[in-house]
Amino acid sequence: MRIVLLGAPGAGKGTIAKLLSIFDGSVQISTGDILRNAVKAKTKLGNEAQGYMERGELVPDSLIMDIMGARLQEPDCKKGFILDGFPRTIPQADALKGLLKKLNLTLDLVVNLDVPREVILDRLTTRRTCSNPSCQEIYNIKSKPPTPDGKCKKCGWKVVQRDDETEEAIGNRLVTYNEKTAPLIDYYQKEGSLKSISSTSSEEIVAGIAKAIKK
Ligand SMILES: [Zn+2]
């Protein structure tokens, strides 16, 4: 399958992408991963991206698209790919359209994971992360709590709430999402390739996507 996964932070894009990847061998692709890998592999584009990152600047869309273009032509993408959280803006969606056309590829589906705000807030504000940089085990105070005194069950370090997972920070991330990314839902709706799924069960979401692609 060749799909784009849209959804607010905390909507579960990463989890769904992993399950879809297991389902039919399609490769999960996120811009963060492909940038990190290009930098690590010291490709020409990777070196260029590293320059921006070291200066604390945003990597420009044109460079992201070049790295994405190279990634999509690697042999493992022949089985398909799942773009996890990309595009994030209308200009990126336009650029992606141009890139796919150039590579002679079409998307099967654009999936919008439509999760209510309360569910997202609840999911993210209850998350805790082990502060040991080489562990970083994820906990949830409701469904997977750390020890009663707030320590990691694996390594014993303190378990903390990440700065970007406080209620205030998540509120800000959702505002940015609504401004920049939510318009993509209309964009793909007009193209006729959008499927919105409002379930919170991973199994149901994966089954829904598989069914929509078969049609
Ligand atoms: Zn730990």
Side-chain angles (χ1 to χ4, degrees), residues 93-155:
D94 281 333
L96 178 66
K97 199 188 214 177
L99 174 67
L100 292 175
K101 200 170 172 204
K102 204 172 87 188
L103 299 177
N104 211 7
L105 295 171
T106 49
L107 289 174
D108 294 314
L109 201 64
V110 175
V111 178
N112 173 38
L113 300 179
D114 185 16
V115 179
R117 185 188 167 89
E118 315 82 72
V119 176
I120 287 175
L121 276 172
D122 186 61
R123 264 185 202 168
L124 295 182
T125 56
T126 51
R127 262 172 57 133
R128 298 292 182 271
T129 309
C130 172
S131 58
N132 178 354
S134 61
C135 174
Q136 296 186 19
E137 180 75 3
I138 307 273
Y139 290 90
N140 183 293
I141 49 174
K142 288 186 184 166
S143 57
K144 189 195 168 194
T147 66
D149 59 344
K151 301 273 168 61
C152 176
K153 286 182 177 168
K154 283 196 167 166
C155 72

Side-chain angles (χ1 to χ4, degrees), residues 185-201:
I185 295 166
D186 277 340
Y187 178 100
Y188 285 116
Q189 186 111 52
K190 281 188 192 121
E191 302 233 314
S193 48
L194 187 84
K195 169 146 183 91
S196 263
I197 301 184
S198 56
S199 169
T200 49
S201 140

Side-chain angles (χ1 to χ4, degrees), residues 42-178:
K42 297 193 181 304
T43 62
K44 189 172 159 279
L45 296 170
N47 289 339
E48 215 179 308
Q50 190 173 21
Y52 287 99
M53 293 189 221
E54 281 173 358
R55 291 192 297 275
E57 292 168 23
L58 276 180
V59 178
D61 277 355
S62 58
L63 182 53
I64 292 179
M65 292 319 296
D66 287 346
I67 294 175
M68 180 74 75
R71 181 68 188 90
L72 294 182
Q73 290 176 81
E74 282 175 31
D76 61 343
C77 285
K78 285 220 166 69
K79 277 193 174 170
F81 51 79
I82 302 142
L83 299 184
D84 163 11
F86 184 87
R88 273 178 203 259
T89 61
I90 299 278
Q92 286 184 348
D94 281 333
L96 178 66
K97 199 188 214 177
L99 174 67
L100 292 175
K101 200 170 172 204
K102 204 172 87 188
L103 299 177
N104 211 7
L105 295 171
T106 49
L107 289 174
D108 294 314
L109 201 64
V110 175
V111 178
N112 173 38
L113 300 179
D114 185 16
V115 179
R117 185 188 167 89
E118 315 82 72
V119 176
I120 287 175
L121 276 172
D122 186 61
R123 264 185 202 168
L124 295 182
T125 56
T126 51
R127 262 172 57 133
R128 298 292 182 271
T129 309
C130 172
S131 58
N132 178 354
S134 61
C135 174
Q136 296 186 19
E137 180 75 3
I138 307 273
Y139 290 90
N140 183 293
I141 49 174
K142 288 186 184 166
S143 57
K144 189 195 168 194
T147 66
D149 59 344
K151 301 273 168 61
C152 176
K153 286 182 177 168
K154 283 196 167 166
C155 72
W157 282 49
K158 211 173 152 211
V159 166
V160 297
Q161 183 171 32
R162 279 174 28 177
D163 289 343
D164 63 345
E165 288 176 347
T166 63
E167 190 154 350
E168 194 194 352
I170 293 159
N172 290 336
R173 285 163 72 192
L174 290 175
V175 168
T176 306
Y177 173 80
N178 285 332

